[in-house]
Amino acid sequence: MQKISVLLFLAWVGFLFYAGIALFTSGFLLTRLELTNHSSCQEPSGPGSLPWGSQGKPGACWMASRFSRVVLVLIDALRFDFAQPQRSHGPGEPPVSLPFLGKLDFLQRILETQPHHARLYQSKADPPTTTMQRLKALTTGSLPTFIDAGSNFASYAIVEDNLIKQFASAGRRVVFMGDDTWKDLFPGAFSQAFFFPSFNVRDLHTVDNGILEHLYPTMDGNEWDMLIAHFLGVDHCGHKHGPYHPEMAKKLRQMDQVIQGLVERLENDTLLVVIGDHGMTMTGDHGGDSELEMSAALFLYSPMALFPSAPPQEPEIVPQINLVPTLALLLGLPIPFGNIGEVMVELFSVVEDPQPHSSVLAQASALHLNAQQVSRFLHTYSAAAQDLQIKELHQLQNLFSKASADYQRLLQSPQGAEAALQTVITELQQFLRGVRAMCIESWARFSLSFLLLHLLAAGIPITTPGPFTVPWQAVSAWALMATQTFYSTGHQPVFPAIHWHAAFVGFPEGHGSSTWLPALLVGANTFASHLLFAVGCPLLLLWPFLCESQGPRKRWQPLGNEAEARVRPEEEEPLMEMRLRDAPHHFNAALLQLGLKYLFVLGIQILACALAASILRRHLMVWKVFAPKFIFEAVGFIVSSVGLFLGIALVMRVDGAVSSWFRQLVLAQQR
């Protein structure tokens, strides 16, 4: 075989595997069509309006706004228990003292002294719990795609409708300061911005101190309608030290002082939102779907009374995306088109109104606007994509139609209809929660096309005659050694276990604005074993020679017409790799055979992983175990196949050089 034919054939087989992986990935991981539609004030909002009365602010659409401005403080990795008020386990016993507990004293004091102005929620984030995916969810109200976890190194602009775009479209000024991830997600969307590099997890203070330098002067300057501050110190402290380190207590106390400073400067028409985008594990990592990673804090405060009743004994648990429609309606903006979150109805109660039905009517009105927006999204999405379950979609639309008809009928005579309105609220909530559950299930669909392509690639003949056949046990052992080395060097196929510190090897001061170099360093650290063993795989051609007995081997030669062969002691069979020169026509075929065997063994591993993920796709641990495992196996296969291709090309190059040298040596001897 010609060398170029071997390389092209291996490339073709590798392409079949890549195509299979791509097809399975598109069907397995959370995928959905991103619509570019935008909600607008011209869309009919339906009958009914919130009875804010004179409290309504001008310039609003869909409904009168309750607030003119909002301060959004995003404390990265603010886990719920970091903000939860600490209580003694028994009478007379002091609360548990840990570095991450009970350090937000001012926040807890506000909750106790102003229960009608402040509220703490437990915000549940959807996996993956990585920052970029959480920012998308917090601004669009939809679910991020799982594979976007790899995009943390190179974020891209959000094309879907979102709160930032709605603010800008309404002519309102959005000022941002903090994590520079927002610069890539919302290019040109801010009237003023102060970006700070976010990748250096060893740096606990640069981003936070930069924000504090501009936060209070900007707030006092009144040149803003939405002020966003994204602090990173808590997250970086978790990555560097973990939550049990004294530095975590210092960081949380600093955030507590920030909250106090903001509360003291708030005006009556301003809402303060303090939220964590995700939590962290007990080791300070995040990215998966464990309880601690998905559990984040959400704190709301306004100088104007927000809540008609005292908070419950245990904070309410709300999906994180519920903040999007809630903020949109409170600020008089259209809800982003692709939102599937549910408004937090408690915030739409009328605090001071003698009529008991007013709060229920306000909540029903907000939910009806929310449900209308979600119904429009479902109608548009189902027309553009065919991945929603038709039967369940019809059932949900029928539920919405019934609830909407009941709501409109009750608007004609709301007096004394409090119980009926409460029923409508329940129906609308069932519709919104049913839509979210359906989307989560439908956007995790599965394809077995990978299996077909895998079988096609695996069915290619890989047995060729020749003296250089490498046994299957050698190839399998070599592939398993690559996997063993991956684990023995401290790696795990889960995102929180990635060795992020490898990004700073040789660059202790960081990389500036570069993201590809740290990504390359982390990737090289993670998949070094796959690459090294794949590049060294052609060395297995020496396996048959290593298995031979050592010492000179006699070559048997028949002489004349004698029936028995005699041994010529002066002729010895060449040993080890020099035998390659005796059969050059078999060498390239042997390389192809070895390469196909190695790809087959690797393909069996990823096929088993894909089958496990398919069978267990509804398992509770699918996004914690099986999806990350599949991603690591897929990336490892790609790295290994590329390394194998390079290794074989290198061996061929060396073989060509040796052949040229051998020919020159023979010619020299003949002279």
Side-chain angles (χ1 to χ4, degrees):
M1 297 184 67
Q2 297 296 322
K3 295 178 180 178
I4 188 65
S5 300
V6 171
L7 295 177
L8 289 176
F9 193 76
L10 283 175
W12 168 247
V13 175
F15 171 77
L16 291 179
F17 279 109
Y18 296 162
I21 291 172
L23 285 175
F24 182 82
T25 300
S26 65
F28 173 64
L29 299 180
L30 280 175
T31 56
R32 60 183 172 85
L33 177 66
E34 291 189 339
L35 302 178
T36 58
N37 305 59
H38 287 71
S39 299
S40 67
C41 293
Q42 287 69 39
E43 290 174 330
S45 59
S49 61
L50 289 182
W52 302 138
S54 60
Q55 298 180 31
K57 305 298 185 295
C61 69
W62 285 26
M63 67 159 53
S65 60
R66 190 170 187 179
F67 297 98
S68 297
R69 300 192 296 181
V70 60
V71 178
L72 176 61
V73 178
L74 199 157
I75 302 177
D76 210 295
L78 183 65
R79 205 169 69 192
F80 173 68
D81 58 350
F82 291 3
Q84 187 178 21
Q86 297 305 298
R87 300 182 177 89
S88 300
H89 292 287
E93 296 182 8
V96 178
S97 178
L98 291 172
F100 57 86
L101 296 180
K103 300 304 182 291
L104 299 179
D105 296 327
F106 179 78
L107 185 149
Q108 297 176 11
R109 190 161 61 250
I110 284 288
L111 290 170
E112 294 173 358
T113 59
Q114 301 186 48
H116 296 285
H117 296 253
R119 191 62 48 92
L120 177 66
Y121 298 92
Q122 183 177 354
S123 173
K124 283 291 186 180
D126 296 295
T129 51
T130 43
T131 296
M132 193 193 72
Q133 285 66 41
R134 295 296 89 230
L135 296 183
K136 285 186 175 183
L138 281 169
T139 54
T140 65
S142 190
L143 298 175
T145 53
F146 188 87
I147 195 63
D148 276 347
S151 304
N152 264 345
F153 292 111
S155 304
Y156 50 88
I158 296 177
V159 299
E160 293 182 283
D161 194 9
N162 57 79
L163 282 177
I164 307 301
K165 287 184 178 179
Q166 288 294 344
F167 255 90
S169 299
R172 302 193 191 182
R173 300 156 298 179
V174 182
V175 177
F176 176 83
M177 51 192 70
D179 185 350
D180 60 356
T181 302
W182 292 71
K183 177 173 60 176
D184 298 320
L185 295 177
F186 306 99
F190 305 115
S191 60
Q192 192 176 12
F194 306 94
F195 297 112
F196 302 96
S198 59
F199 190 80
N200 189 355
V201 296
R202 299 182 180 183
D203 184 355
L204 310 184
H205 307 293
T206 297
V207 177
D208 293 1
N209 292 342
I211 294 174
L212 293 176
E213 182 181 349
H214 302 283
L215 180 59
Y216 300 130
T218 301
M219 194 171 179
D220 295 336
N222 289 324
E223 296 296 324
W224 58 276
D225 298 298
M226 184 179 195
L227 178 58
I228 305 173
H230 186 166
F231 291 89
L232 285 176
V234 172
D235 179 66
H236 286 188
C237 184
H239 285 299
K240 184 177 182 180
H241 301 294
Y244 289 95
H245 197 276
E247 283 294 330
M248 182 60 75
K250 295 180 182 178
K251 266 295 159 189
L252 291 174
R253 288 194 181 98
Q254 184 186 32
M255 294 300 100
D256 192 52
Q257 294 173 0
V258 170
I259 296 173
Q260 180 175 359
L262 291 172
V263 167
E264 293 171 350
R265 290 171 170 80
L266 284 182
E267 299 179 358
N268 286 337
D269 65 342
T270 306
L271 175 67
L272 172 64
V273 180
V274 180
I275 188 171
D277 55 343
H278 52 74
M280 66 173 66
T281 64
M282 300 310 289
T283 58
D285 299 312
H286 59 89
D289 67 345
S290 68
E291 180 67 22
L292 292 178
E293 291 170 282
M294 295 192 301
S295 177
L298 170 60
F299 172 75
L300 302 176
Y301 175 81
S302 173
M304 179 175 59
L306 284 173
F307 307 98
S309 60
Q313 187 69 20
E314 293 295 330
E316 182 183 353
I317 300 175
V318 297
Q320 193 178 67
I321 59 174
N322 287 7
L323 183 64
V324 173
T326 303
L327 285 183
L329 294 186
L330 288 176
L331 295 164
L333 296 171
I335 299 175
F337 186 84
N339 163 76
I340 58 171
E342 172 192 338
V343 292
M344 300 160 64
V345 293
E346 191 178 21
L347 286 161
F348 295 89
S349 302
V350 180
V351 179
E352 299 176 358
D353 196 310
Q355 300 179 357
H357 72 279
S358 296
S359 289
V360 181
L361 178 60
Q363 294 172 2
S365 299
L367 279 170
H368 187 251
L369 287 169
N370 187 185
Q372 280 186 311
Q373 166 266 316
V374 172
S375 178
R376 280 194 296 269
F377 166 71
L378 286 181
H379 178 76
T380 305
Y381 188 91
S382 60
Q386 305 301 320
D387 53 5
L388 294 179
Q389 300 179 24
I390 302 300
K391 181 179 180 180
E392 190 170 355
L393 181 63
H394 286 164
Q395 292 176 348
L396 289 171
Q397 290 288 20
N398 291 336
L399 177 60
F400 168 70
S401 298
K402 178 182 181 302
S404 181
D406 293 342
Y407 169 75
Q408 295 178 36
R409 185 180 67 254
L410 289 172
L411 285 179
Q412 306 302 322
S413 56
Q415 298 292 336
E418 185 175 352
L421 281 171
Q422 193 64 54
T423 302
V424 171
I425 288 176
T426 302
E427 292 175 342
L428 291 172
Q429 288 176 330
Q430 289 177 349
F431 166 72
L432 292 169
R433 293 169 188 177
V435 168
R436 181 172 181 270
M438 179 188 66
C439 290
I440 291 176
E441 183 176 1
S442 298
W443 291 337
R445 58 189 175 84
F446 300 88
S447 170
L448 292 180
S449 302
F450 171 82
L451 177 61
L452 300 178
L453 277 178
H454 181 93
L455 293 177
L456 176 61
I460 296 173
I462 55 176
T463 301
T464 58
F468 312 120
T469 301
V470 180
W472 278 103
Q473 60 267 29
V475 180
S476 301
W478 194 259
L480 292 176
M481 282 176 63
T483 303
Q484 174 62 26
T485 304
F486 173 83
Y487 287 101
S488 63
T489 51
H491 295 93
Q492 295 289 332
V494 291
F495 296 116
I498 293 177
H499 295 179
W500 299 109
H501 57 80
F504 303 98
V505 174
F507 300 89
E509 302 300 326
H511 306 270
S513 59
S514 172
T515 56
W516 292 109
L517 181 57
L520 182 63
L521 291 172
V522 173
N525 174 274
T526 304
F527 297 102
S529 61
H530 297 76
L531 182 62
L532 292 175
F533 277 87
V535 171
C537 184
L539 296 177
L540 290 177
L541 281 177
L542 303 180
W543 178 271
F545 312 126
L546 292 174
C547 294
E548 293 176 350
S549 59
Q550 299 300 313
R553 293 174 59 90
K554 311 301 183 181
R555 180 178 297 178
W556 293 81
Q557 294 289 348
L559 298 177
N561 296 325
E562 297 180 5
E564 296 182 357
R566 294 178 300 177
V567 178
R568 291 184 176 181
E570 68 276 4
E571 291 188 11
E572 296 180 353
E573 185 176 357
L575 295 177
M576 301 297 288
E577 63 272 13
M578 291 308 297
R579 289 178 60 189
L580 298 175
R581 304 271 45 88
D582 286 351
H585 55 289
H586 289 306
F587 179 63
N588 293 336
L591 278 176
L592 176 61
Q593 180 189 30
L594 175 59
L596 290 175
K597 283 184 175 180
Y598 195 67
L599 287 177
F600 181 83
V601 173
L602 296 177
I604 288 295
Q605 294 181 20
I606 190 173
L607 176 62
C609 184
L611 290 176
S614 299
I615 295 170
L616 300 169
R617 60 187 180 272
R618 302 303 179 200
H619 195 279
L620 184 64
M621 303 288 284
V622 64
W623 301 122
K624 183 178 182 64
V625 177
F626 306 111
K629 174 64 174 175
F630 169 73
I631 291 177
F632 274 82
E633 286 289 347
V635 176
F637 177 86
I638 294 173
V639 171
S640 297
S641 60
V642 172
L644 177 67
F645 189 87
L646 294 176
I648 290 178
L650 178 62
V651 168
M652 287 182 171
R653 178 70 182 89
V654 172
D655 176 63
V658 171
S659 298
S660 177
W661 170 81
F662 192 78
R663 285 193 298 269
Q664 294 176 6
L665 183 63
V666 171
L667 290 175
Q669 289 178 344
Q670 290 176 352
R671 294 194 189 101

